[in-house]
Amino acid sequence: MAEEHAKPSRVKALAEKLTKGEKSDEPAPKWVGYVALLTGILAGVAGFLTVRATTLTNNAIYESNQAILAQAQSSDAWSEYQADSIKARIIQTQIAANPGLDAQTRATLDAQAKDFRDRQPKIQADAQNFAKDRDAHLAQGKGPPAPRDLLSYSDLA
């Protein structure tokens, strides 16, 4: 084993030869001239792909955040829809439980119940639209890169 450490390896000998540069009598191998060029090209490609990967990741995160926001808005709208339904039902129960109400009180309670029921279709439509937005954002976030992203890769080529 001591003999292996005593002999310089071929890689070490080549490294020493290359570091001597012009002082060496033998010219450097021809491929050494292309190492810097190849390293530069590979670094450029790696940099571009890193930026593209970051962009795609950021787009996916954005779409995920938008989907979460749309889900929260949809949930809020459905909660409001249910609350209005409960309020209208309470008013109707109150009217039914008190047959001796005067006409003005009955009219006021009927108007309130009607107001709650009239608001429900718009709230329901909003909740459904938010749910559709959520689904669209989820589909966009996990879909393949858009054509503009593919064009960026072709620009690199």
Side-chain angles (χ1 to χ4, degrees), residues 22-41:
E22 296 176 8
K23 296 178 185 176
S24 176
D25 293 339
E26 296 179 31
K30 194 170 190 174
W31 59 268
V32 173
Y34 296 109
V35 170
L37 178 64
L38 180 61
T39 303
I41 290 171

Side-chain angles (χ1 to χ4, degrees), residues 29-132:
K30 194 170 190 174
W31 59 268
V32 173
Y34 296 109
V35 170
L37 178 64
L38 180 61
T39 303
I41 290 171
L42 290 176
V45 169
F48 175 78
L49 293 177
T50 301
V51 169
R52 294 306 304 148
T54 302
T55 301
L56 292 174
T57 302
N58 288 342
N59 287 342
I61 291 170
Y62 171 79
E63 293 297 338
S64 175
N65 288 342
Q66 291 302 311
I68 291 169
L69 177 62
Q71 175 63 40
Q73 290 170 328
S74 176
S75 179
D76 289 348
W78 280 116
S79 295
E80 185 179 357
Y81 176 86
Q82 291 172 342
D84 284 350
S85 179
I86 291 169
K87 290 173 190 175
R89 185 67 185 146
I90 289 172
I91 292 171
Q92 291 170 344
T93 303
Q94 188 177 17
I95 292 170
N98 297 314
L101 290 174
D102 61 26
Q104 183 180 3
T105 305
R106 182 179 290 274
T108 302
L109 290 174
D110 281 336
Q112 288 176 351
K114 183 180 181 324
D115 181 49
F116 286 128
R117 294 290 182 198
D118 289 345
R119 289 177 15 182
Q120 284 185 307
K122 182 190 179 307
I123 296 170
Q124 182 180 20
D126 288 345
Q128 290 170 344
N129 288 336
F130 286 132
K132 287 178 187 174

